[in-house]
Structure formats: structure tokens, C-alpha cells
């Protein structure tokens, strides 16, 4: 279990302010990934990650955010068929420096693009991939929705996302209102069957959903 988070923004003059938001989001998710935490900043996006080292635990190369010349990736989950995909990518000339599925996912996205990569991978996952050249960000969640991902569009037009709704709610300096339908659903069923979280305006990315920003 790892934690991913980030903010996408238009006003690059406030990058330091937004970096603080992401740092706070990372801190709220240290229980999801106590082995490493870090953030990476770019002109209009800041990405954060907390890592629980299950696969290739001794490798710092598998720490995230992970990037190459074109892509930056934060990923939570497990790709079951990553070894097969890695062998296919080696034939295409890609080199690997760790035994992690994260590095395989990054190179698969680089080789095939996000939509085709989603067709190829099997597993449980939530990830955010940022293309440095096109400036597009892709958010994706596994087909069943095992790994969580949440999204908030602020009044400033910024887009915040994180593995937990609490990471967003506790990091932004605003007063949140409760979504009573979601709360009542949880109290009756033991789980919420709505697309909302307990907080109004923090939504769940749906299972199998793929968002381009």
C-alpha cells in the first residue's frame, strides 16, 4: 500500500504555496507508505508519493515520483503481469535498473501511451502520469476499484487528487461540509455506495475510470 497525491494548477507564481499543500498531503499518508516519501515539482503540476516497499525493497530507483525524459509517474498498486511486459519492452530496446513493476509501468506508458498501457496491464492500481511535453496529466484506476483515488476541483480551478480524501481535506485551508448521503450509506452498509466521499466536492475516481487533464 502506497499513497499518491498531487495538484494541477495554472498560476505558476504560486508554486511554493502549492508545494506546501502537497507536502501536507504526503504527511497525512505516511501510514500508507513509511519507507520513503518525496515530491517533484514542475511548472503546472506537483506530485507526491509515500512508498511501502513490497517489491524490490532495496532499490532506490523504485522510489517515486519516478520519471524519464518524457513522463513522470506516481503509482499505487501491483501489476501482476509486469514481467511479461518487461520482456516485451526489452525487445523494443528499453533497459531496466530495478525489479519493480513501477519502472515497467513507466516504460510501458512511454512506449505505448496511457490508453494502450491500460489495455495491457492486469492488476490493482491507481496512478497519475504527467507528460512533460504535452503537459497532459492522466489519472487512472483499476477495473474493480481496489486501489483508491480521490479528486477535488477547487474554487481556484486547481485540481487536487490523493489516495485518501483526508489528505485533501486536511491540507487545504477551507471549511468542508459533510455529504450526509455518503455518511448515512456508510452507517447503514458499512461502506459508501455513492461516488462522493464524506466531504462535499471530494469525489471518488470511479473503478476503470481514465481521466485526461
Amino acid at each position: 500500500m502506497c499513497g499518491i497525491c498531487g495538484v494541477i494548477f495554472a498560476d505558476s507564481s504560486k508554486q511554493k504555496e502549492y508545494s506546501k499543500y502537497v507536502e501536507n498531503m504526503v504527511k497525512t499518508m505516511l501510514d500508507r507508505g513509511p519507507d520513503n516519501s518525496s515530491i517533484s515539482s514542475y511548472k503546472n503540476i506537483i506530485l507526491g508519493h509515500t512508498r511501502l516497499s513490497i517489491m524490490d525493497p532495496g532499490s532506490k530507483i523504485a522510489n517515486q515520483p519516478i520519471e524519464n525524459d518524457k513522463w513522470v509517474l506516481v503509482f499505487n498498486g501491483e501489476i501482476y503481469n509486469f514481467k511479461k511486459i518487461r520482456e516485451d519492452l526489452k525487445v523494443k530496446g528499453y533497459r531496466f535498473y530495478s525489479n519493480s513493476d513501477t519502472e515497467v509501468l513507466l516504460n510501458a506508458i512511454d512506449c505505448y501511451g496511457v490508453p494502450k498501457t491500460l489495455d495491457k496491464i492486469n492488476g490493482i492500481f491507481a496512478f497519475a502520469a504527467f507528460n512533460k511535453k504535452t503537459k497532459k496529466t492522466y489519472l487512472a484506476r483499476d477495473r474493480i476499484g481496489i486501489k483508491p483515488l480521490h479528486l477535488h476541483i477547487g474554487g481556484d480551478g486547481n485540481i487536487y487528487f490523493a489516495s485518501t480524501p483526508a489528505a485533501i481535506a486536511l491540507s487545504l485551508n477551507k471549511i468542508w461540509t459533510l455529504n450526509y448521503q455518503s455518511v448515512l450509506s456508510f452507517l447503514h452498509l458499512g461502506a459508501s455506495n455513492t461516488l462522493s466521499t464524506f466531504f462535499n466536492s471530494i469525489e471518488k475516481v470511479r473503478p476503470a475510470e481514465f481521466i485526461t487533464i
Side-chain angles (χ1 to χ4, degrees):
M1 181 174 66
C2 300
I4 67 173
C5 61
V7 57
I8 303 166
F9 51 91
D11 187 355
S12 57
S13 67
K14 295 184 178 180
Q15 189 179 58
K16 289 185 178 180
E17 178 183 342
Y18 301 143
S19 291
K20 288 293 182 182
Y21 291 157
V22 177
E23 287 173 7
N24 289 336
M25 284 195 277
V26 165
K27 288 177 183 178
T28 68
M29 296 191 296
L30 287 177
D31 60 322
R32 296 183 64 88
D35 297 320
N36 183 76
S37 63
S38 56
I39 69 171
S40 293
S41 300
Y42 304 88
K43 185 176 181 180
N44 294 109
I45 186 172
I46 302 168
L47 297 168
H49 187 268
T50 63
R51 182 186 178 195
L52 178 64
S53 301
I54 296 176
M55 196 170 297
D56 204 11
S59 173
K60 293 184 178 180
I61 296 173
N63 288 341
Q64 301 181 47
I66 187 172
E67 63 182 291
N68 59 22
D69 292 339
K70 186 177 178 181
W71 292 92
V72 188
L73 174 71
V74 286
F75 161 67
N76 170 34
E78 184 177 355
I79 307 301
Y80 300 144
N81 60 335
F82 80 96
K83 292 182 179 179
K84 170 64 168 61
I85 295 173
R86 181 171 60 191
E87 293 307 309
D88 293 342
L89 290 169
K90 283 182 178 179
V91 172
K92 294 179 180 294
Y94 284 86
R95 299 178 66 184
F96 292 87
Y97 303 94
S98 73
N99 294 315
S100 75
D101 54 354
T102 304
E103 189 182 16
V104 173
L105 180 59
L106 175 71
N107 286 328
I109 291 172
D110 184 75
C111 181
Y112 304 117
V114 175
K116 288 185 178 180
T117 296
L118 289 171
D119 288 337
K120 289 178 177 292
I121 60 177
N122 294 318
I124 52 176
F125 57 84
F127 69 77
F130 171 63
N131 188 307
K132 299 177 187 178
K133 296 183 179 180
T134 66
K135 310 303 180 186
K136 290 182 179 180
T137 301
Y138 303 87
L139 304 178
R141 195 175 174 204
D142 64 75
R143 297 167 181 85
I144 302 176
I146 299 297
K147 293 300 181 180
L149 188 58
H150 302 86
L151 190 68
H152 168 65
I153 301 176
D156 52 8
N158 293 345
I159 298 173
Y160 304 85
F161 60 89
S163 295
T164 67
I168 300 172
L170 294 174
S171 300
L172 299 181
N173 185 23
K174 63 171 290 182
I175 297 174
W176 299 90
T177 57
L178 284 178
N179 185 304
Y180 291 104
Q181 182 180 358
S182 185
V183 172
L184 288 173
S185 173
F186 179 81
L187 292 175
H188 280 287
L189 303 173
S192 175
N193 65 350
T194 71
L195 290 175
S196 300
T197 65
F198 290 170
F199 305 97
N200 280 318
S201 77
I202 301 180
E203 303 293 324
K204 301 172 185 175
V205 176
R206 302 180 188 186
E209 190 167 26
F210 166 48
I211 299 171
T212 304
I213 303 168

